Amino acid sequence: MQWEFRDDRPIYTQLIEQIQLRIVSGMYPSGSKLPSVRDLASEASVNPNTMQKALAELERLELVYSQRTSGRFITENQQRISQIKEQLADEKTETFFLQMQQLGYSKSETIERITRSN
Amino acid sequence: MENILECRGVSKIYTQFPALNFTNLTVKRGRIVGLLGPNGSGKTTLIKMISGILTPSSGSISINGIPVGAQTKNMVSYLPERTYLNDWMKVRDIIDFFSDFYTNFNKEKAYDMLKRLQINDGDRLKTMSKGTKEKVQLVLVMSRETDLYLLDEPIGGVDPAARDYILDTIISNYSENSTVIISTHLIYDIEKILDDIIFINQGNLFLAASTDEIREQHGKSIDAYFREVFRC
């Protein structure tokens, strides 16, 4: 997964989303150790302060936790990860319906199209 | 002390022409700051005054609470727009020169960066391309372990791939206790690494804010915002 940033929003919010995605998808497995802030920042070519800010927010969301001396880890709480996964899925679905609406499809028409394409 | 740099009522007048007319400006420690503005807006003048090469016509500038002067020389690592190095010198001679000259110069760090940039320390400056020369200068400047780095147009002559590497070098070589001020026109390339933005226009401070704030408020990149504000 590549780090990609769009122009219209702050970098740190995009970092939060992308790290969430990495956790939910298992790329960063539950209970595993995260790379250091500096390494992560350098990998994403962003400022370490920005990365720090994003990780602090992820800590607040209880997706990662830090251990005083040994670094940051992904939560072992599977339930929390599932919650975030569902939240992300809801957001994506909503955006999709919105885009379809802009094309002139009602919700039921959209659903019909999806079932047909399968 | 949280503020690394403080400017109070600083102005600079070049024989009648006012180049800079600042009210106040403070820069915090541990930040990467973009100094942005159109041509002739006073970016280089400001940087030169902070480094102590120019004296303000009025007002005062202090670094770590100490007025700019002999004492602050070792707190500032300055990358000028133009090269001042002797181009007959070999890279390794320049490194020796720098480490004799500056007590806080880290030779190991310099050689490490040169190696990663694939620059041969036995080459003479005059045999190098513009971009490679810029890289050498940046290595020299970033190899000093100091509080404030002033980079005046550090990536202008460098190709996009090396640009990324240089930005990476800046990110990974500054410590939480130091601050980097970068003046540039290549906003798009560097805005990802900037904490704060200082916009100056015709010698006046137009805006000083965090990158996130600007993106959040205006819903666009700093580059796009700059183009909007300074549209000709």
Side-chain angles (χ1 to χ4, degrees), chain B residues 88-96 107-108 110-125 127-128 132 136 139-140:
Chain B
W88 52 265
M89 285 176 97
K90 288 179 182 167
V91 177
R92 71 167 87 94
D93 299 335
I94 301 172
I95 288 181
D96 285 341
K107 246 175 155 174
E108 246 171 75
Y111 278 110
D112 183 52
M113 280 192 254
L114 285 175
K115 213 163 107 193
R116 281 200 289 161
L117 281 165
Q118 294 169 317
I119 295 171
N120 187 347
D121 66 0
D123 288 352
R124 288 175 205 278
L125 270 192
T127 65
M128 292 175 172
T132 311
V136 172
V139 165
L140 293 168

Side-chain angles (χ1 to χ4, degrees), chain A:
Chain A
M1 212 180 290
Q2 286 278 328
W3 298 94
E4 269 169 32
F5 303 102
R6 292 161 49 103
D7 287 342
D8 54 353
R9 282 175 306 136
I11 302 278
Y12 81 94
T13 56
Q14 303 186 55
L15 282 172
I16 294 170
E17 289 164 9
Q18 293 184 34
I19 297 173
Q20 279 182 337
L21 204 60
R22 284 163 186 233
I23 295 173
V24 165
S25 70
M27 184 177 160
Y28 293 156
S30 162
S32 69
K33 188 174 187 293
L34 264 177
S36 72
V37 174
R38 239 159 219 277
D39 288 346
L40 274 176
S42 144
E43 194 190 302
S45 327
V46 299
N47 187 310
N49 292 327
T50 312
M51 188 55 85
Q52 179 68 43
K53 197 168 165 186
L55 291 174
E57 182 59 21
L58 288 164
E59 255 176 53
R60 210 185 54 79
L61 292 169
E62 293 169 22
L63 274 175
V64 304
Y65 64 96
S66 49
Q67 228 152 31
R68 209 173 263 269
T69 49
S70 44
R72 272 201 183 75
F73 296 84
I74 311 293
T75 182
E76 275 133 38
N77 184 348
Q78 290 292 348
Q79 213 185 336
R80 184 70 192 135
I81 296 179
S82 317
Q83 268 174 5
I84 296 288
K85 185 172 181 172
E86 269 175 44
Q87 205 178 311
L88 288 176
D90 285 346
E91 281 168 22
K92 295 256 184 230
T93 318
E94 209 171 302
T95 322
F96 177 67
F97 276 124
L98 206 72
Q99 285 168 342
M100 288 304 277
Q101 202 185 350
Q102 283 165 351
L103 283 176
Y105 291 97
S106 72
K107 212 165 183 170
S108 53
E109 281 169 333
T110 308
I111 293 170
E112 200 208 336
R113 283 191 81 84
I114 296 173
T115 21
R116 225 189 319 141
S117 71
N118 276 339

